[in-house]
Amino acid sequence: MTIRKAVIPAAGLGTRFLPASKAIPKELIPVVDKPGVQYVVEEAVRAGLDDILIITSRSKGGIADHFDRSLELESHLESAGKNELLAEVRAVAELAQVHYVRQKEPLGFGHAVLMAREHVGDEPFAVMVPDEIVPAPLGGEADLMPAMVEIYERLNRSVIAVQEVPHEEIVAYGAIDPEFVEDKVARIKDMIEKPSLEEAPSDLASRGRYVLSPDIFDALAKTQAGAGGEIQLTDGIKKLADEQGAYAYVFDGVMMDVGKKLEYLKATVELALAHDDLGKSFKDYLAQLVAGLG
Ligand code: UTP
């Protein structure tokens, strides 16, 4: 079965990005000139996932506005002859079929995915975390979702993306216990959310891309709140891994967590350097700045 649906959970509180995320949804904070969530919707569409469900919440209405038409703005740009901007603004609204469901309480990442049950139905689907971007200009994007979809279709089991992280950083992620079955593909023997350094079974950290069997919904519905009082997706995936088997795909391209301030700054600099219009002047500025620091 072709996988077409992508779920983007965006109902979290974004506490790591306060105070900026107090009134603005974290997912709409621009990385150079595009909101983080737009990079992820574009990535989904390029991977053939053109039915998008965004899980939002009460304070996140701006996300739906961003992917909607803005007739007033369009007619202003049209009469001002700003055709390039007009095309760009229209393209955002035409990217994909974007649907929305609200999570009424922030009960966790796993709970947000459970909100997708009715829309997804009985077919495999992708989950893409909007904080984690795989910007096309930095390379690697083309290898990620297409590879995961291919693995799902071939092995008929759920697949999660993992990346090797420095050992001391594994405590911030879900860590897997891998049994490699192919180059870059491992069966998940176990998975521990935010392990201590001693507990961590490997330095392979779960990152924000998943292709899941619809059985995840039953697994999540039976999951009790875990770490931080939230329903964790990791617990649901662990159940799938135990009951039917699940796999990890080791992604070695660039993935940046723009929900963290330092990573956000790094992503902004790298994407500004790769930007068609801004790249050259930004590089000159940066070179001057760095020379001044030396
Ligand atoms: P995170 O825990 O990384 O994001 O959740 P957060 O809660 O927004 O951010 P911090 O930790 O407070 O800074 C991973 C993803 O799951 C979504 C988030 O929006 C993010 O995309 N999420 C999390 C929900 O949709 N609902 C929740 O209840 C929790």
Side-chain angles (χ1 to χ4, degrees):
M1 170 183 283
T2 324
I3 298 168
R4 279 186 321 109
K5 292 181 179 169
V7 174
I8 302 184
L13 296 175
T15 53
R16 282 170 299 167
F17 224 98
L18 284 169
S21 52
K22 186 177 171 210
I24 302 170
K26 157 179 86 166
E27 299 75 14
L28 286 184
I29 294 175
V31 186
V32 187
D33 55 0
K34 269 194 278 193
V37 65
Q38 188 179 329
Y39 288 91
V40 177
V41 171
E42 288 173 351
E43 180 197 340
V45 171
R46 279 194 287 262
L49 304 160
D50 59 359
D51 176 327
I52 312 262
L53 176 71
I54 304 186
I55 312 296
T56 61
S57 60
R58 193 177 162 73
S59 57
K60 306 245 181 175
I63 297 179
D65 290 344
H66 182 73
F67 292 107
D68 199 357
R69 299 276 306 268
S70 170
L71 298 181
E72 197 184 334
L73 177 64
E74 286 176 26
S75 85
H76 172 79
L77 292 173
E78 197 163 16
S79 45
K82 296 187 172 169
N83 295 329
E84 257 179 53
L85 273 180
L86 176 64
E88 215 172 313
V89 162
R90 278 201 180 134
V92 177
E94 282 161 12
L95 267 174
Q97 280 217 25
V98 187
H99 308 267
Y100 302 89
V101 165
R102 280 196 184 189
Q103 184 191 25
K104 296 196 176 90
E105 280 182 83
L107 296 178
F109 179 29
H111 182 261
V113 171
L114 193 49
M115 298 294 101
R117 183 171 208 161
E118 207 171 314
H119 181 86
V120 168
D122 194 25
E123 50 183 287
F125 66 106
V127 173
M128 302 172 76
V129 172
D131 293 353
E132 304 206 61
I133 62 170
V134 188
L138 304 186
E141 180 203 278
D143 297 335
L144 184 52
M145 292 313 297
M148 293 176 67
V149 167
E150 187 278 323
I151 296 165
Y152 185 100
E153 286 172 349
R154 188 158 46 83
L155 302 179
N156 198 19
R157 292 288 177 272
S158 300
V159 187
I160 75 169
V162 296
Q163 282 202 305
E164 181 144 15
V165 298
H167 183 56
E168 62 284 3
E169 290 176 21
I170 194 70
V171 296
Y173 295 92
I176 65 155
D177 187 2
E179 179 194 15
F180 276 88
V181 294
E182 298 172 15
D183 184 32
K184 296 191 186 184
V185 182
R187 189 176 71 81
I188 300 172
K189 289 198 285 177
D190 195 8
M191 194 169 173
I192 309 179
E193 184 64 29
K194 301 196 172 53
S196 65
L197 282 181
E198 298 69 44
E199 276 177 325
S202 75
D203 293 334
L204 290 173
S206 164
R207 299 297 307 256
R209 299 289 182 275
Y210 309 80
V211 179
L212 300 173
S213 147
D215 295 333
I216 191 71
F217 295 123
D218 275 343
L220 286 171
K222 286 186 217 137
T223 300
Q224 302 294 321
E230 298 187 336
I231 294 179
Q232 300 291 348
L233 185 63
T234 300
D235 293 333
I237 291 172
K238 200 170 130 39
K239 275 204 190 96
L240 287 188
D242 291 345
E243 287 167 11
Q244 51 184 232
Y247 290 87
Y249 169 69
V250 182
F251 176 59
D252 45 26
V254 180
M255 181 180 258
M256 304 181 115
D257 186 347
V258 296
K260 292 182 186 155
K261 290 178 186 174
L262 184 59
E263 289 267 312
Y264 168 83
L265 291 173
K266 291 181 190 171
T268 303
V269 170
E270 293 204 27
L271 284 171
L273 285 171
H275 193 280
D276 285 346
D277 299 335
L278 304 171
K280 165 93 181 63
S281 355
F282 187 66
K283 187 174 177 191
D284 293 345
Y285 158 76
L286 215 53
Q288 248 180 19
L289 186 76
V290 170
L293 293 178

